[in-house]
Amino acid sequence: MTMCGIIGKAGDGNVIPDIINGLKKLEYRGYDSAGIAVLGENGYSSVKTAGKVDALSEAVTACRCAPGDTGIGHTRWATHGAPTDRNAHPHFSPDGKFSVVHNGIIENASELKKSVLPEDEVYASETDTGVAAHLLAFYYQGDVIEAVSKTVNALKGSFALGILCSDCPETLFAAACASPLFAAKGQSGTFIASDMGAVGEDAKEIYKLTNREIARLTKDGIAFFDADGKPIVKNTVSVQVGRLSLEKGGFEHYMLYEIMQQPDAVRDTILPLIKDGHIIRHEGFPEREFVRERLNKIRIIACGSAYHTGLVAASLIEQYCGVDCRAEVASEFRYSAALIDENTLTVFISQSGETADTLAALRLAKEKGAKTLAIVNIEGSAIATESDAVVFTRAGRETAVATTKAYSAQLAVLYALTLYLAREKGTVTEEQEGAYTAELLRLPEKIRLTTETVSETVTELAAMLAKKEDMFFIGRLLDSAAAMEGSLKMKEISYINSQAYAAGELKHGTISLVEEGTPVIALATQEDVFTKTVANLYEVKARGAYTILITEEKFLNREFAADKVIAVPDTADPFAVSLAVVPMQLLSYYTAKNRGCDIDKPKNLAKSVTVE
Ligand code: F6R
């Protein structure tokens, strides 16, 4: 069972460098183990290693892997079966003819072992993918397309498969169902990949494989077949996802590069939503009539950081639009009673557009007849495609596993949505909406300014935080939602145990963990609750905490109990968390750097979580 990225090439000459290079770009999908198989003059060469693609690349060089004209590669995020060399893909059929790389979940693997495949079959790995390799050999009677067709019809679940057969050394085969897989023609050959960004500029004509469709690729062209193996004609797709780049804009890590790209991400995202100083009814936003006459409930559903943007928006929408709005974790929502109906607007937020739980929650919402809106960064992704309506964030490619610029771009769309709903509901006047929109337009520049003004204090503090093993982030209302994001950033990349709390909740138990020198980072950007949060900061300071306050310049003349203050530029209350998050991102970045962590690829994680 794997989440993972796959790539394949049918070319002329040595395909190994292109496959390794593509795998490096696909590592955002998982980096527990990697492997390749190529077919050359003397049959197969295959190398598999636990660990990252760099380790695979070294192993390929060390064993002087023979070149080949066709090849497949895989980078894995392990779910079932440890990330060992043995469980790394490609997997081979028992007769050694077929090799397979797979992204997805074959749900009936055990059933197929019992009911279809011979009883005495010996499996070389603990993975479900092995079963696909065994099935191919089982069904093969000289026609690979027929064997692939029978195999894909036997499989249940989701899969994107890259397949080689030693009887056809110059041909690459592929098939997909509910897991992303693209095929493309390029100048140096033809390709398959989970994400064509991995192939780069060479991919010219791009096709998407769905519904168990099969592709047969040679260096000169691609033929497509339906699930029954009948030839079909497919149209190209436009995949404006940006190329996956290994460039970091001169920065040491993608994460820092992407933090610095936030002003552009926010600007590019909001400009298409604004005209003549006002938020427009973007085609993705619900119709005016629905908002005015029917809308009585909003549910924002997402995972991780995307869920945190939902928490900010839920608070804002209730306050500014007077509509019942809650943010829900997708993995919970999909199994909940989900009290939604045709008068509910459900909003699904996802950078990748492929997160399994968010996608399942979207399908549930559609079943219940709710209106669905997706806020997604990747065009052509499953969530963008399946939702009734979509607004794209324009953050560009995000490569660091810990999201930063996509988070900021998601918030920007949610601000625009809130203002649109508030205007249509009549809870703000057009003039007030115009004033907020003007401030929203100033936000990108203020984010840029924040990266500059906080940098000295942040680097100084990070040196101290790097030596700690526990810390807390607290805040109220919007600041509480942003504190959750700050805390997640810190723990996921620095591995420091960090917890976020609604500031007023700390004293109901958790404050017992505060000791001499425990860092407590308080966010206080909201006028109405500023003094309340500061009061909570006094409480932890009295118990020995090292207190850090993140606030706006306009509050600096107030009284507070902070050992260190980080001030961000002034803005309107609804947008302040977009500035406050920047020092928290930078604090986690520099803290992790001081601890020598693998910042762009934190342990145990993957960028795109395509399994439940
Ligand atoms: C944390 C992070 C994750 C993602 C989450 C949802 O830095 O990046 O928590 O936000 O896995 O992913 P998407 O947005 O792709 O649905």
Side-chain angles (χ1 to χ4, degrees):
M1 202 196 275
T2 49
M3 211 152 79
C4 325
I6 69 173
I7 186 163
K9 180 173 182 185
D12 196 359
N14 188 7
V15 296
I16 293 176
D18 278 353
I19 290 181
I20 298 274
N21 201 24
L23 286 179
K24 283 187 183 158
K25 293 176 186 168
L26 287 173
E27 269 193 316
Y28 74 90
R29 303 178 72 88
Y31 39 83
D32 287 338
S33 65
I36 58 161
V38 293
L39 271 171
E41 266 176 19
N42 300 318
Y44 274 116
S45 324
S46 177
V47 183
K48 312 199 253 184
T49 51
K52 301 209 171 83
V53 176
D54 277 343
L56 174 71
S57 180
E58 279 164 26
V60 165
T61 313
C63 76
R64 296 205 185 89
C65 189
D69 290 334
T70 49
I72 49 179
H74 187 269
T75 178
R76 175 170 191 246
W77 189 85
T79 52
H80 279 39
T84 55
D85 293 5
R86 178 177 164 227
N87 287 332
H89 299 211
H91 292 289
F92 284 81
S93 58
D95 59 4
K97 260 196 172 98
F98 288 92
S99 65
V100 179
V101 287
H102 167 225
N103 166 215
I105 303 168
I106 298 173
E107 286 165 5
N108 59 338
S110 318
E111 203 181 305
L112 289 166
K113 280 184 186 176
K114 280 189 219 130
S115 62
V116 178
L117 289 161
E119 253 177 54
D120 54 356
E121 206 97 323
V122 178
Y123 295 89
S125 77
E126 301 156 278
T127 66
D128 52 350
T129 309
V131 172
H134 281 244
L135 280 178
L136 285 163
F138 178 73
Y139 289 127
Y140 183 59
Q141 286 175 338
D143 180 345
V144 180
I145 295 294
E146 189 192 346
V148 176
S149 158
K150 286 185 172 158
T151 300
V152 295
N153 282 312
L155 300 178
K156 284 193 188 140
S158 63
F159 52 83
L161 300 169
I163 302 162
L164 295 179
C165 175
S166 54
D167 284 352
C168 324
E170 282 160 18
T171 312
L172 164 66
F173 300 89
C177 173
S179 289
L181 189 64
F182 297 88
K185 276 191 205 169
Q187 262 159 12
S188 66
T190 56
F191 302 87
I192 56 159
S194 308
D195 176 342
M196 265 302 147
V199 172
E201 295 305 324
D202 202 9
K204 299 282 185 256
E205 270 174 48
I206 302 180
Y207 304 85
K208 186 168 187 182
L209 291 175
T210 55
N211 295 328
R212 299 183 151 75
E213 284 167 353
I214 301 165
R216 184 180 63 205
L217 300 92
T218 58
K219 75 173 171 25
D220 302 317
I222 312 175
F224 294 100
F225 304 85
D226 68 11
D228 297 325
K230 296 205 184 71
I232 50 167
V233 176
K234 277 186 74 70
N235 293 326
T236 54
V237 288
S238 119
V239 195
Q240 294 162 351
V241 292
R243 298 293 175 210
L244 281 168
S245 159
L246 294 175
E247 298 300 315
K248 296 174 192 157
F251 292 93
E252 193 180 343
H253 295 98
Y254 285 110
M255 184 177 174
L256 189 56
Y257 182 32
E258 289 162 2
I259 289 171
M260 297 307 173
Q261 287 177 319
Q262 291 183 112
D264 290 339
V266 171
R267 187 179 298 108
D268 293 349
T269 298
I270 55 173
L271 283 182
L273 307 176
I274 296 170
K275 194 168 172 224
D276 299 332
H278 293 280
I279 304 292
I280 57 164
R281 186 186 93 70
H282 182 274
E283 59 184 19
F285 289 171
E287 301 80 12
R288 294 203 159 91
E289 196 228 337
F290 174 82
V291 177
R292 289 179 190 171
E293 318 275 327
R294 287 170 47 200
L295 174 65
N296 60 14
K297 199 192 279 187
I298 301 175
R299 293 292 176 262
I300 307 177
I301 300 141
C303 300
S305 296
Y307 163 67
H308 295 161
T309 68
L311 288 172
V312 173
S315 191
L316 276 177
I317 288 171
E318 291 211 329
Q319 193 182 339
Y320 288 87
C321 313
V323 181
D324 166 7
C325 184
R326 278 209 324 248
E328 309 243 15
V329 170
S331 56
E332 291 289 307
F333 179 83
R334 64 181 289 188
Y335 296 115
S336 71
L339 301 178
I340 54 174
D341 58 28
E342 62 282 2
N343 295 324
T344 312
L345 170 67
T346 49
V347 183
F348 299 85
I349 307 173
S350 177
Q351 188 286 126
S352 63
E354 300 288 348
T355 300
D357 284 318
T358 311
L359 183 58
L362 164 65
R363 289 176 180 158
L364 173 66
K366 286 181 83 170
E367 248 170 63
K368 297 228 164 194
K371 204 173 254 305
T372 59
L373 160 64
I375 299 174
V376 172
N377 201 37
I378 305 287
E379 286 188 31
S381 58
I383 294 171
T385 313
E386 291 194 25
S387 181
D388 297 334
V390 57
V391 178
F392 287 104
T393 46
R394 302 286 174 198
R397 270 288 172 182
E398 195 177 56
T399 304
V401 164
T403 184
T404 52
K405 62 176 179 169
Y407 170 90
S408 289
Q410 287 160 357
L411 275 184
V413 175
L414 290 164
Y415 295 149
L417 177 66
T418 306
L419 289 173
Y420 167 71
L421 295 175
R423 199 183 58 209
E424 294 308 321
K425 280 279 178 199
T427 48
V428 298
T429 62
E430 196 168 321
E431 203 185 346
Q432 287 167 323
E433 178 265 303
Y436 280 122
T437 302
E439 184 57 17
L440 186 55
L441 282 164
R442 287 190 279 270
L443 206 52
E445 176 54 18
K446 291 189 178 182
I447 294 174
R448 193 196 59 75
L449 207 61
T450 308
T451 59
E452 280 176 16
T453 52
V454 303
S455 97
E456 205 180 310
T457 320
V458 160
T459 40
E460 188 190 314
L461 277 171
M464 180 272 291
L465 293 179
K467 297 185 195 114
K468 303 287 181 180
E469 289 309 326
D470 297 287
M471 67 179 72
F472 294 93
F473 285 78
I474 60 170
R476 284 171 185 259
L477 302 176
L478 300 188
D479 289 329
S480 166
M484 291 184 69
E485 177 59 9
S487 174
L488 176 62
K489 283 283 92 72
M490 183 61 81
K491 69 186 124 198
E492 74 180 317
I493 63 164
S494 77
Y495 315 143
I496 292 173
N497 177 29
S498 156
Q499 295 193 44
Y501 266 87
E505 188 63 12
L506 211 56
K507 57 168 131 348
H508 297 284
T510 310
I511 202 165
S512 64
L513 293 171
V514 172
E515 288 173 358
E516 196 60 40
T518 305
V520 177
I521 299 162
L523 272 76
T525 66
Q526 303 296 301
E527 175 70 63
D528 289 353
V529 287
F530 181 90
T531 51
K532 304 288 173 196
T533 304
V534 163
N536 299 125
L537 209 54
Y538 276 110
E539 289 163 3
V540 289
K541 190 161 175 54
R543 284 151 183 91
Y546 183 88
T547 53
I548 300 166
L549 178 69
I550 300 179
T551 188
E552 284 168 77
E553 281 162 6
K554 66 188 175 210
F555 295 121
L556 287 179
N557 57 3
R558 307 257 177 112
E559 229 179 88
F560 44 75
D563 293 306
K564 210 63 171 181
V565 183
I566 300 175
V568 300
D570 295 341
T571 184
D573 274 8
F575 311 134
V577 297
S578 284
L579 303 183
V581 79
V582 175
M584 294 193 291
Q585 294 166 339
L586 289 167
L587 265 182
S588 50
Y589 172 81
Y590 285 109
T591 303
K593 194 170 167 212
N594 281 316
R595 286 164 73 95
C597 298
D598 190 347
I599 293 178
D600 287 333
K601 295 193 186 96
K603 67 171 191 259
N604 303 339
L605 296 176
K607 180 94 187 136
S608 185
V609 184
T610 54
V611 292
E612 184 174 352

